[in-house]
Amino acid sequence: MRLYLLRLGTIPRLGAPVAAYLIRTDEGRTVLVDSGAPPGGLPGGAPAVEPGEGQDLVTALAGAGVRPEDVDTVVCSHFDPDHVGGHASFPAAEFVVQREHWDLARSGTVPRLTASRPLWDVPGLRYRTVEGDTELLPGIELIASGGHVPGHQSVLVRLERTGAVLLAVDAIPMSTALDPERRPVLPFDLDEKELRESTRRLVDLARAENALIVHGHDAEQWRTLRVAPAYYD
């Protein structure tokens, strides 16, 4: 199994990456986690994203030898606009989201999820909801990690050579948020209590699995990681 970290632009005022993740299994399955920011700007008051050369999603996938039609599953960590911008490129895929988040997003009670709805509520896309921790495929586990927003999910990938990699996404967006008690609560975090509980849970899981935690928006960490077309296996 191979894991590709896809950099799909930068939030200029932070220098922080916007990311998606590609997993290719030994059995021929192709899984995408999130789809980055939409071309032409973000709705909902989210920070602007500046794309770099070759950092659009389709080009990044091509660097790993993958076409949009090859992707059979898209895992949705959550529906913030910088995570769902390319969903429409995968009409043949099954999209997997936590039921709690699906219900929240469709309720219209969170303005930024309502603003991003045209990006994820695309006619013809097939969604499957899951509840809590779920084995997606052998070696790929979805980990409930709400707090940033209810129903957020992270992804644990077990690789043969690298070992476990925990894609924390926005549950622990940067290394300065690893301490459950002292971590900052950022402007887009909706539930401080759940956020700290999820942080503790993910850190404990990473320790138990001896896992590399990949932070979703950590400029310093991403300079040290293998970014696509390089990969972890």
Side-chain angles (χ1 to χ4, degrees):
M1 187 154 57
R2 292 181 176 182
L3 169 64
Y4 297 81
L5 311 184
L6 308 178
R7 182 161 189 154
L8 302 179
T10 301
I11 301 171
R13 64 182 179 83
L14 302 175
V18 169
Y21 310 91
L22 174 69
I23 306 166
R24 307 197 73 182
T25 76
D26 296 337
E27 294 73 33
R29 299 289 298 273
T30 302
V31 178
L32 182 68
V33 180
D34 291 342
S35 66
L42 294 174
V49 173
E50 183 177 281
E53 184 177 354
Q55 290 184 349
D56 65 280
L57 180 56
V58 173
T59 300
L61 289 173
V66 172
R67 303 166 300 171
E69 56 265 35
D70 298 328
V71 175
D72 48 66
T73 304
V74 179
V75 173
C76 308
S77 67
H78 62 308
F79 288 160
D80 274 358
D82 56 329
H83 295 263
V84 297
H87 276 26
S89 297
F90 307 98
E94 178 182 67
F95 290 74
V96 181
V97 62
Q98 290 285 327
R99 178 180 294 277
E100 181 183 17
H101 193 68
W102 174 253
D103 290 344
L104 176 72
R106 289 172 61 86
S107 73
T109 58
V110 179
R112 72 187 199 246
L113 301 183
T114 301
S116 68
R117 187 163 186 163
L119 302 173
W120 55 265
D121 194 8
V122 177
L125 294 190
R126 296 179 294 114
Y127 279 91
R128 173 165 67 95
T129 60
V130 297
E131 296 188 45
D133 296 353
T134 302
E135 182 182 64
L136 180 70
L137 292 168
I140 306 174
E141 293 185 20
L142 310 181
I143 309 296
S145 52
H148 173 65
V149 64
H152 181 285
Q153 60 185 351
S154 304
V155 182
L156 180 69
V157 185
R158 293 187 176 93
L159 301 169
E160 183 176 354
R161 296 185 184 181
T162 303
V165 179
L166 179 59
L167 307 175
V169 198
D170 283 5
I172 312 178
M174 54 200 70
S175 59
T176 55
L178 281 167
D179 186 322
E181 301 305 325
R182 299 182 181 181
R183 63 159 295 162
V185 177
L186 302 172
F188 288 97
D189 295 331
L190 297 185
D191 186 325
E192 179 177 351
K193 181 175 183 292
E194 188 178 23
L195 183 73
R196 296 193 187 283
E197 290 172 352
S198 291
T199 302
R200 181 177 296 103
R201 187 163 182 262
L202 291 177
V203 169
D204 288 347
L205 175 63
R207 185 179 296 114
E209 295 277 348
N210 194 27
L212 166 67
I213 300 177
V214 175
H215 305 288
H217 298 293
D218 190 320
E220 290 188 13
Q221 186 195 35
W222 273 70
R223 284 193 284 269
T224 72
L225 298 171
R226 296 181 215 161
V227 178
Y231 55 84
Y232 293 89
D233 61 3

